Amino acid sequence: MTDAEAITLLQNLAAEAQAEQDTLTGARSDFDDAKQALNNSMTAVSGRLASMDRHVRYAIDFFGV
């Protein structure tokens, strides 16, 4: 292998490694977005459960069940 071939091979490997890094960066961003959406949904569900709990407690107090 000549020096020029070795340099070309290293450049190609560096470009391939950078492409993989870019893919991983994109996947990490997608993961973070999904995690944030899940946290938002969990917060919304928690709020709705708390509201339902208040309504049920009110009904129990009101109707004496």
Side-chain angles (χ1 to χ4, degrees), residues 34-45:
K35 187 169 71 171
Q36 183 62 45
L38 178 60
N39 285 336
N40 291 345
S41 295
M42 287 172 39
T43 299
V45 167

Side-chain angles (χ1 to χ4, degrees), residues 3-29:
D3 287 347
E5 291 172 333
I7 290 170
T8 301
L9 181 59
L10 287 173
Q11 288 173 337
N12 290 342
L13 289 173
E16 193 176 323
Q18 185 60 51
E20 288 298 323
Q21 181 63 40
D22 293 345
T23 300
L24 289 173
T25 299
R28 177 64 182 192
S29 177

